[in-house]
Amino acid sequence: PRQPPFNPEEEETAAIRQILGEARSRKGDLRDAAREFELSLELRRRARNRIGIAQTLVNLGAVAMELGHTEEAVSRFEQALTLHETLGHRQGVAEAATHLGRALGVRGESERAVLLHTIRRRRSRGPGTTASAGPRRCAGRSGRTARAGAATR
């Protein structure tokens, strides 16, 4: 069956939800931030924005890490990594692999975390495939996950 085309109105609403999630995260309202990101994810799925979906999954994983929900974070980061790899989005692969590596480190899987770091370095050496579809999450240099509102470019 033929799939519906990308829906820009759905994506616009998803982007607004993403921004609201980031604002709530900056205020420390992590559960509210997660709800906004979940709404954004649902809308991006309906809009068929696969890069946006992957980026929102990273945001949800980062909030889960901040809430101490490592297993959920690992799942979100793995989903984002798989999607970015499928799309050939190198910057997204690097970002998702970085977050996943940190989450695996917290979970005690240091060998797998090192492997992901190696993959990230190898795959991020070329240009990305697209511009950002919206704000994304970033982990701090200290290894502690940054607030859900911290954007990278």
Side-chain angles (χ1 to χ4, degrees):
R2 192 172 164 160
Q3 298 179 350
F6 177 81
N7 183 336
E9 290 176 12
E10 295 271 347
E11 175 52 33
E12 184 176 308
T13 304
I16 291 167
R17 290 292 184 182
Q18 185 84 4
I19 292 166
L20 288 171
E22 291 172 1
R24 292 189 187 287
S25 179
R26 277 192 292 276
K27 287 178 57 181
D29 300 330
L30 297 177
R31 294 194 196 306
D32 289 340
R35 279 191 284 277
E36 294 294 349
F37 291 138
E38 286 288 354
L39 289 169
S40 178
L41 181 62
E42 179 182 329
L43 290 164
R44 285 185 159 164
R45 284 182 171 146
R46 289 200 316 238
R48 308 191 49 72
N49 178 351
R50 296 188 303 164
I51 289 177
I53 291 167
Q55 291 172 340
T56 302
L57 287 165
V58 169
N59 285 350
L60 282 164
V63 168
M65 283 296 294
E66 290 182 45
L67 290 169
H69 303 151
T70 307
E71 296 305 315
E72 178 186 346
V74 167
S75 174
R76 299 292 190 166
F77 296 143
E78 285 175 335
Q79 291 172 55
L81 179 60
T82 299
L83 190 49
H84 280 305
E85 286 175 331
T86 300
L87 297 170
H89 187 238
R90 289 181 179 173
Q91 183 178 353
V93 167
E95 180 181 20
T98 297
H99 284 285
L100 180 55
R102 288 190 175 125
L104 291 171
V106 168
R107 198 163 79 174
E109 295 184 44
S110 57
E111 286 183 29
R112 189 167 169 213
V114 169
L115 177 62
L116 280 167
H117 176 72
T118 304
I119 290 169
R120 185 189 120 243
R121 291 192 71 206
R122 191 175 330 130
R123 291 189 180 164
S124 66
R125 290 188 177 149
T129 57
T130 63
S132 173
R136 290 172 301 195
R137 299 277 302 129
C138 175
R141 292 178 187 246
S142 67
R144 185 170 174 265
T145 305
R147 292 181 312 220
T152 61
R153 299 210 187 258

